[in-house]
């Protein structure tokens, strides 16, 4: 079975490149250290954070169950297999929806 070493998520405004430790080592040995990240949070806007959370909650390490944050986003967080926090959010308040507009 082949193992995926690299993937890209391409959007109109940005591209997120995700590489395995083996892929990153091609640039410079020792650059990536699995499970060492405790400083970055990857955020993804979703249409319904509660629905996505319900689908994932029994399959991930939950950090924060869905809750409304002061700036108007309903947010849930979990850790990926290497410990990186993944934040899913849905702008709920009028101010939050206006801030995010069409992006």
């Amino acid at each position: 079975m082949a193992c995926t070493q690299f993937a890209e998520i391409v959007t109109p405004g940005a591209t997120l490149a995700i590489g395995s430790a083996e892929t990153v080592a091609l640039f410079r040995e020792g650059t990536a250290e699995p499970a060492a990240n405790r400083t970055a949070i990857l955020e993804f806007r979703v249409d319904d954070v509660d629905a996505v959370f319900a689908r994932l909650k029994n399959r991930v390490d939950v950090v924060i169950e869905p809750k409304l944050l002061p700036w108007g986003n309903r947010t849930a967080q979990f850790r990926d297999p290497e410990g990186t926090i993944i934040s899913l959010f849905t702008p709920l308040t009028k101010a939050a929806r206006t801030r995010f507009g069409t992006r």
Side-chain angles (χ1 to χ4, degrees):
M1 183 165 109
C3 179
T4 301
Q5 298 294 319
F6 182 79
E8 287 185 335
I9 299 171
V10 180
T11 70
T15 298
L16 173 63
I18 303 167
S20 69
E22 292 82 7
T23 300
V24 176
L26 295 172
F27 298 108
R28 183 173 153 214
E29 188 67 37
T31 302
E33 181 182 335
N37 178 24
R38 295 288 187 201
T39 60
I41 297 174
L42 299 177
E43 287 198 320
F44 298 94
R45 181 178 175 180
V46 297
D47 290 333
D48 184 344
V49 73
D50 291 289
V52 176
F53 180 79
R55 195 175 79 239
L56 295 175
K57 68 181 180 181
N58 295 322
R59 299 167 42 187
V60 297
D61 177 16
V62 175
V63 175
I64 298 172
E65 293 192 9
K67 70 178 192 177
L68 183 63
L69 296 175
W71 47 89
N73 290 343
R74 184 146 175 89
T75 299
Q77 293 181 344
F78 59 91
R79 289 194 187 278
D80 75 4
E82 291 194 350
T84 303
I85 293 178
I86 308 297
S87 183
L88 306 176
F89 73 96
T90 302
L92 283 189
T93 65
K94 183 178 179 182
R97 289 191 306 272
T98 298
R99 186 174 59 253
F100 283 97
T102 58
R103 60 177 172 142

